[in-house]
Structures are given as structure tokens and as C-alpha cells.
Amino acid sequence: QEGVLDEPTFKAFMRTTTDASDDQIKELLGTFDMDASEGLEFDEFYLLVCMLVAIKDSVEKHFLWRHSRTFFEVLDNDGSNTVSQKEFQNFSLFFNISKAALNKIFKEFDVDGSLQMDYEEFRMFTFASLEKQEKIDEEQLLKKQQKLAAQKIECLLQ
């Protein structure tokens, strides 16, 4: 098909740009091929590339927050307007999170206990992820500042 990135080309691209396994690449293709065309059209490929850049730049949680509706639709493989626990596990490919950890997170944000996460529950997850990332970033910055201060004091004492 013209204008569609087919599976072999997609695999070659992913092998050169990521360290994803063949199984993960196949899962990614299935996840981002939202119309089940057995390939990626430009908009599907563009979203994937934006996500890969966000991961590279360590801003994936900001990206997820800003594009939560689109990402929700990507994860909702069956078009049910909900994300199942299995669909949610596709996150492990993007954030290097174990499936066990994702199951725990899923249960925490599946507020109504339906074993399906609707968009509002998913949005709460993205907000909590962003808040947690910001807290981690603040703690890392504080540690760097403390280390620099200690180094300056050490230099002064020498």
C-alpha cells in the first residue's frame, strides 16, 4: 500500500532506533496500527515517533499528559472506549515498567473496579504520573544542588 509503512520496514526502523525486541516491535505495530491496516499510516507513525522522542528526552509523562486522549485511543485496541488491563500493559513498552507494576497501577486507577479503565480514570493516571515525575525531578535537582554545595565547601576547606 502506498503511504503505509509496512511491517518489514517498520521492524527495520524500530531495530535501528530502539532496543525493542521483535515481540515488542510486533506489539507496538499492533498498538499504533489503529485501523488494523497491517501497517502504519503517516499519522500513526508520527504519533509513535513523537512518543519515542519524548522518551529519549525524558519527557514522556508530559507528552502523555498533553496527549492523553489520543494515547487513550491508541491503547483502546478494541474501540470499547475503555482500556482493559491487557491493553494497559502495552504501557510497559513505553516506560520500561514491569507488567506486575502496571497491574498494580491499573487496579489503583480502576476506581469503579470494572476491570476497564475509562478515559477519566486514565486521565487521573496521567496526572498522577506527571505529579510523581515532577516530584522525582525536584528531588534529583535538590540532590545535585546539595552535592555541588558540598563540593564547594570541600574546595574552600582545602
Side-chain angles (χ1 to χ4, degrees), residues 73-134:
E73 291 169 2
V74 167
L75 289 176
D76 180 19
N77 289 333
D78 62 5
S80 64
N81 290 322
T82 60
V83 173
S84 69
Q85 197 164 359
K86 185 177 185 333
E87 291 169 327
F88 190 73
Q89 287 179 347
N90 287 332
F91 261 117
S92 67
L93 301 173
F94 303 113
F95 300 113
N96 199 22
I97 301 173
S98 73
K99 290 189 179 188
L102 278 173
N103 287 337
K104 184 177 178 183
I105 292 167
F106 183 88
K107 288 176 185 172
E108 183 179 335
F109 286 94
D110 178 22
V111 176
D112 63 6
S114 64
L115 301 179
Q116 299 284 324
M117 195 179 290
D118 63 26
Y119 176 69
E120 293 306 315
E121 292 168 326
F122 183 77
R123 184 79 170 160
M124 286 189 306
F125 160 73
T126 62
F127 183 72
S129 295
L130 182 60
E131 273 189 339
K132 188 171 189 167
Q133 184 64 50
E134 287 174 350

Side-chain angles (χ1 to χ4, degrees), residues 63-74:
F63 179 85
L64 180 61
W65 167 251
R66 289 188 182 129
H67 303 282
S68 60
R69 173 56 76 178
T70 302
F71 216 79
F72 179 82
E73 291 169 2
V74 167

